[in-house]
Amino acid sequence: MSAVQPIDAPTPAAASCDVVIVGAGFAGLYMLHRLRGLGFTARVYEQGDGVGGTWYWNRYPGARCDVESMQYSYSFSEDLQQEWDWSERYAAQPEILRYANHVANRFGLRSDIQFKTRVDRAVFDEAADRWSVTLSDGQMVRAQFVVLATGCLSNARMPDIKGLAGFKGAVYHTGKWPHHDVDFAGRRVGVIGTGSSAIQSIPIIAEQATHLTVFQRTPNYSIPARNAPLTDDERDAFRARYPEVRRFAREVARNGIYTELPDRGALDDAESDRRAKYEARWQRGGLTFMSVYNNLALDMAANDTAAGFVREKITEIVKDPGTARLLQPDTYPIGTKRICIDTDYFATFNRPNVTLVDIKANPIEDILPDAVRLADGTKVALDALVLATGFDAMTGSVARIDIRGRNGQTLNHKWAEGPKTYLGLMSAGFPNLFLITGPGSPSVLSNMMVSIEQHVDWIADCLGVMRDRGLVTMEAKRDAEETWVAHVNEVAKGTLYPQANSWYMGANIPGKPRVFMPYIGGVGVYRQICNDVAARGYEGFLMAPAEVVRKAAAV
Ligand code: N01
């Protein structure tokens, strides 16, 4: 395996290219690789100074993947998937970042990536059918196509808490962690938030800090990860099955993960059988807890059985009954917020140096230079604050770019009441602008690697077809987009998901429209829809020589 070192120096920015790719995470890297393979000129702009996207930024203690690494990895290169040795069932962030760097080096991608460069603006020039892309260093790049590989969980959200700027101790956000080790030894630390990032970092911070105070607004359901080193035999056995594992993940699974498909609902089993099945999954660990039965996301009574099981587990693990009660989620169905997986999260609250504070009942009033003050006047003295407050998910990173399509319309204006896309791939009025794992696609509800590869392949194939047929512009038709948005909403409404105030719904951002953003129909179903659309001549898209598209769009 290679070290995290560039092997080829970046070349200066191109003044024009076929495709501008925004972001050098797993989506941007593979997009670049595919486009190069087809002979397109492409240029990636990345605001960080390295590849890896979400894995570049999220360096908080305990950060690791919640999909098993043998599956959370690229499948496009047989050599790559055979040669890379994942060391653990769920790789930690440094190893995933090494993998991203290995891929960039192995496929010689760095020469077309410009680091430390944000894309600030992209304006579609209707006269020339080209995008004019403005970079943070002031350069302008012209491109026929723009691909937003900006990531769904990459725009860290600072909470709007009075006095935060005046806190004199160190402040960290899990989503934008420093690149050096942070040692909490000898410090009184506060963690605000109890989502996946907090649940992974809290047990580790608790081991270091003099005292850790966790400020919880909403408790989360969490399942043990049961992380463990992978042996050579386990890796070999998995690799031997890769053709089937990858096929299943792409075509059959709802969430892009190879696992057993449940054939019955939770209420079809007697209580004792149900408990035995939940217990077996709890012992196995991981996200597949939610696929014990086929109706946990659909039927409230079925869901209650799984939620109740996890609540009982919390009672068993946490010794103080009051703390256990506070840690038990009961205001939303299990799985409707992204389920967490952890290592010793609940047990951490048995430590004498850890305190849980219920800020739903007693909210944070303000932050003083050396403490958090609660509504009842209590002051919690702190030396360091960790904000595990999440992201402006799915749309946040797109919204930071000033994107202007036909007639000068901005994407932010168009999406003011919620994101609108056709298939999550394009938005009407924004020709030749593609999104990878955008709202309206399975995206964050799936193994992101599977969804990224599917989108990249679809887009790359599409650009190849356009070139072969002499087509210059492509855009989503408005009626196709409306039909798709309605379908995405309808499928979501048939599930329990909209019942939770989740970031899937935009509920964590004050003022953000409440729309269930990802497509919940399943990755296999979705892939088939996309393939069928392409097979029918890219049905629902305007795809024609320049002058034809312009006339049609004007009607
Ligand atoms: O963010 P979150 P995250 N005052 O939004 C609380 C992926 N991920 O970074 O629920 C007080 O889930 C907020 O409270 P509430 C994964 O998909 C994956 O943890 O809004 N509290 C909540 O508790 C995940 O779902 C891994 O009431 C405030 C927390 O902060 C997604 O990223 C690891 C607050 C935010 O939780 C996001 O996870 C990490 C305020 N003003 C992340 N504002 C893997 O395992 C927010 N909160 C791969």
Side-chain angles (χ1 to χ4, degrees), residues 54-55 58 60 62-67 72 96 153 157-161 173-175 192-200 215-220 332 337-341 359-360 364 387-391 393 444 501-504 507-508:
T54 198
W55 299 104
N58 284 267
Y60 60 84
R64 61 176 74 243
C65 192
D66 61 1
V67 176
Y72 188 87
I96 303 174
L153 295 163
R157 194 182 84 83
M158 294 299 279
D160 190 11
I161 303 177
H173 192 294
T174 46
I192 299 181
T194 48
S196 303
S197 304
I199 282 177
Q200 288 186 330
F215 298 92
Q216 172 187 274
R217 196 162 63 181
T218 313
N220 253 300
Y332 59 96
K337 282 183 177 226
R338 170 78 168 217
I339 203 160
C340 304
I341 67 168
I359 55 168
K360 182 83 106 200
I364 296 177
L387 308 171
T389 45
F391 304 88
V444 289
N501 288 325
S502 65
W503 56 258
Y504 296 137
N508 62 329

Side-chain angles (χ1 to χ4, degrees), residues 76-119:
F76 71 83
S77 161
E78 180 59 15
D79 288 346
L80 175 66
Q81 70 179 6
Q82 292 296 335
E83 78 198 7
W84 181 266
D85 282 341
W86 291 107
S87 68
E88 293 178 276
R89 183 176 176 193
Y90 301 98
Q93 176 272 336
E95 186 172 2
I96 303 174
L97 192 59
R98 277 201 300 281
Y99 175 75
N101 277 279
H102 171 74
V103 170
N105 294 343
R106 192 188 191 289
F107 296 97
L109 301 177
R110 290 180 193 279
S111 55
D112 280 319
I113 305 173
Q114 184 172 320
F115 294 105
K116 295 190 198 165
T117 309
R118 279 187 50 77
V119 167

Side-chain angles (χ1 to χ4, degrees), residues 78 81 238-248 250:
E78 180 59 15
Q81 70 179 6
F238 211 101
R239 284 187 182 125
R241 285 189 295 134
Y242 253 144
E244 172 55 12
V245 169
R246 300 298 202 185
R247 186 198 66 77
F248 185 96
R250 287 186 196 121

Side-chain angles (χ1 to χ4, degrees), residues 186-210:
R187 297 208 260 173
R188 296 162 301 174
V189 183
V191 173
I192 299 181
T194 48
S196 303
S197 304
I199 282 177
Q200 288 186 330
S201 56
I202 281 168
I204 295 170
I205 297 173
E207 283 173 9
Q208 300 172 0
T210 314

Side-chain angles (χ1 to χ4, degrees), residues 221-236:
Y221 296 96
S222 189
I223 309 295
R226 311 269 181 225
N227 186 37
L230 280 174
T231 64
D232 284 342
D233 285 350
E234 284 168 334
R235 277 192 295 264
D236 289 347

Side-chain angles (χ1 to χ4, degrees), residues 30-345:
Y30 182 43
M31 191 78 246
L32 174 61
H33 177 67
R34 275 299 316 270
L35 290 174
R36 277 181 171 181
L38 290 169
F40 287 101
T41 56
R43 191 86 186 148
V44 180
Y45 297 98
E46 164 58 54
Q47 65 173 321
D49 67 0
V51 300
T54 198
W55 299 104
Y56 171 90
W57 298 105
N58 284 267
R59 298 166 186 246
Y60 60 84
R64 61 176 74 243
C65 192
D66 61 1
V67 176
E68 296 187 29
S69 295
M70 293 300 292
Q71 299 201 54
Y72 188 87
S73 48
Y74 287 121
S75 69
F76 71 83
S77 161
E78 180 59 15
D79 288 346
L80 175 66
Q81 70 179 6
Q82 292 296 335
E83 78 198 7
W84 181 266
D85 282 341
W86 291 107
S87 68
E88 293 178 276
R89 183 176 176 193
Y90 301 98
Q93 176 272 336
E95 186 172 2
I96 303 174
L97 192 59
R98 277 201 300 281
Y99 175 75
N101 277 279
H102 171 74
V103 170
N105 294 343
R106 192 188 191 289
F107 296 97
L109 301 177
R110 290 180 193 279
S111 55
D112 280 319
I113 305 173
Q114 184 172 320
F115 294 105
K116 295 190 198 165
T117 309
R118 279 187 50 77
V119 167
D120 286 335
R121 201 158 194 253
V123 179
F124 188 68
D125 176 349
E126 293 191 63
D129 292 319
R130 286 284 180 285
W131 283 94
S132 295
V133 176
T134 310
L135 308 175
S136 52
D137 63 5
Q139 289 181 79
M140 175 90 84
V141 185
R142 304 271 287 172
Q144 187 179 356
F145 301 97
V146 172
V147 178
L148 300 176
T150 38
C152 294
L153 295 163
S154 45
N155 193 357
R157 194 182 84 83
M158 294 299 279
D160 190 11
I161 303 177
K162 202 164 67 180
L164 178 57
F167 184 68
K168 293 283 180 253
V171 178
Y172 308 95
H173 192 294
T174 46
K176 222 173 173 189
W177 201 260
H179 287 203
H180 55 81
D181 280 347
V182 176
D183 186 2
F184 290 108
R187 297 208 260 173
R188 296 162 301 174
V189 183
V191 173
I192 299 181
T194 48
S196 303
S197 304
I199 282 177
Q200 288 186 330
S201 56
I202 281 168
I204 295 170
I205 297 173
E207 283 173 9
Q208 300 172 0
T210 314
H211 196 91
L212 171 63
T213 306
V214 177
F215 298 92
Q216 172 187 274
R217 196 162 63 181
T218 313
N220 253 300
Y221 296 96
S222 189
I223 309 295
R226 311 269 181 225
N227 186 37
L230 280 174
T231 64
D232 284 342
D233 285 350
E234 284 168 334
R235 277 192 295 264
D236 289 347
F238 211 101
R239 284 187 182 125
R241 285 189 295 134
Y242 253 144
E244 172 55 12
V245 169
R246 300 298 202 185
R247 186 198 66 77
F248 185 96
R250 287 186 196 121
E251 296 172 15
V252 183
R254 292 184 67 78
N255 58 4
I257 299 175
Y258 182 77
T259 185
E260 303 95 320
L261 279 185
D263 60 355
R264 55 204 288 124
L267 305 178
D268 298 333
D269 274 340
E271 162 82 10
S272 57
D273 292 344
R274 203 164 46 227
R275 289 190 67 81
K277 285 185 185 169
Y278 287 142
E279 182 63 33
R281 288 294 171 103
W282 180 271
Q283 293 308 330
R284 189 203 291 182
L287 289 179
T288 61
F289 182 84
M290 286 304 290
S291 46
V292 179
Y293 292 112
N294 61 17
N295 60 348
L296 295 183
L298 303 173
D299 181 309
M300 197 61 208
N303 186 287
D304 274 343
T305 64
F309 177 86
V310 174
R311 283 194 289 266
E312 281 175 31
K313 285 288 182 194
I314 296 171
T315 312
E316 280 170 29
I317 298 168
V318 180
K319 293 191 182 121
D320 175 62
T323 306
R325 232 179 353 264
L326 280 181
L327 287 167
Q328 290 174 329
D330 60 4
T331 55
Y332 59 96
I334 186 170
T336 55
K337 282 183 177 226
R338 170 78 168 217
I339 203 160
C340 304
I341 67 168
D342 70 275
T343 301
D344 296 334
Y345 173 65

